[in-house]
Amino acid sequence: MMLSVLIGSGAQVFMMISVTLVVSCLGFLYPGNRGFLLSMGVVMYVCFGSPAGYFAARIYKSFGGEKWKSNVILTAFFVPAIVFSVFFVLNLVLWGEGSSSAVPFGTLCGVLALWICVSVPLTFVGAFFGFRKPAITYPTQTNQIPRHIPPQSFYTKRVPGILMGGVLPVGSVFIQLYFIFNSIWLTRSTTCSGSCLSCS
């Protein structure tokens, strides 16, 4: 069940990031206004509750799950509750220190109301349509007799795989930091939305 819940929440986050990056790359979001970008990310996350419920329901049904109510409730509440509670605790620390960057209590209540009143019903709607679809069928059946695993070549082993898999993210971060530091030291401003989209 937890796999389907996490897949549904991951689909929700993926769609939120994709739409926010596309809108940012098209020039509708000004990167200098941090609050607007964050607000759009929260609104997009709330609006994409339906895909979370849909994908969680399809995966759960393909595994033969029968507790569909628990699946939908966990999809709607598990990951957002963890994120909101961590954010709330960190915000309490900022309130205690008297920081001006602390989020006001009214804004937190507004985000909570958006989550409860918009995202949760959309998750239920998406799960309704996901459970109405037939279960995902797999192209092959799993054989009960274990087969012999052939010896691996050198590049499929652990250490070369880690080294090859780490080159792309480290290279991407290096290029981003190069442009950011150049813009800081040469008194230029830069926007990294396009390069972030190409690296992700």
Side-chain angles (χ1 to χ4, degrees):
M1 178 179 301
M2 288 308 295
L3 176 67
S4 63
V5 168
L6 294 176
I7 286 175
S9 297
Q12 186 176 9
V13 170
F14 175 75
M15 294 185 82
M16 180 263 303
I17 290 173
S18 300
V19 170
T20 305
L21 270 177
V22 166
V23 169
S24 179
C25 287
L26 292 177
F28 295 119
L29 290 176
Y30 177 64
N33 189 355
R34 291 185 313 153
F36 188 65
L37 181 66
L38 184 62
S39 298
M40 179 163 179
V42 169
V43 168
M44 288 294 114
Y45 182 81
V46 166
C47 290
F48 284 122
S50 293
Y54 179 80
F55 287 116
R58 290 292 307 268
I59 297 295
Y60 188 65
K61 189 173 182 182
S62 70
F63 286 135
E66 297 176 1
K67 298 178 181 177
W68 63 271
K69 292 178 186 175
S70 301
N71 182 40
V72 177
I73 290 171
L74 279 174
T75 303
F77 288 102
F78 183 69
V79 172
I82 290 174
V83 171
F84 185 80
S85 59
V86 167
F87 181 75
F88 185 74
V89 168
L90 291 175
N91 204 36
L92 280 177
V93 172
L94 288 176
W95 279 339
E97 292 295 322
S99 174
S100 62
S101 63
V103 178
F105 185 72
T107 305
L108 282 177
C109 290
V111 169
L112 188 64
L114 271 174
W115 172 37
I116 299 292
C117 298
V118 178
S119 182
V120 172
L122 285 176
T123 305
F124 278 91
V125 168
F128 172 74
F129 286 111
F131 278 116
R132 287 184 59 190
K133 290 277 188 180
I136 299 171
T137 57
Y138 301 106
T140 59
Q141 293 291 329
T142 304
N143 194 355
Q144 298 297 328
I145 302 171
R147 296 173 58 182
H148 176 69
I149 298 174
Q152 296 180 344
S153 55
F154 79 95
Y155 56 84
T156 58
K157 294 190 177 167
R158 182 174 301 179
V159 174
I162 291 171
L163 292 175
M164 288 186 285
V167 168
L168 182 64
V170 169
S172 172
V173 168
F174 174 76
I175 291 170
Q176 289 296 315
L177 287 177
Y178 174 77
F179 285 120
I180 289 170
F181 286 145
N182 266 347
S183 70
I184 290 172
W185 291 330
L186 299 177
T187 65
R188 296 183 196 152
S189 63
T190 182
T191 58
C192 300
S193 303
S195 53
C196 284
L197 180 65
S198 65
C199 292
S200 60

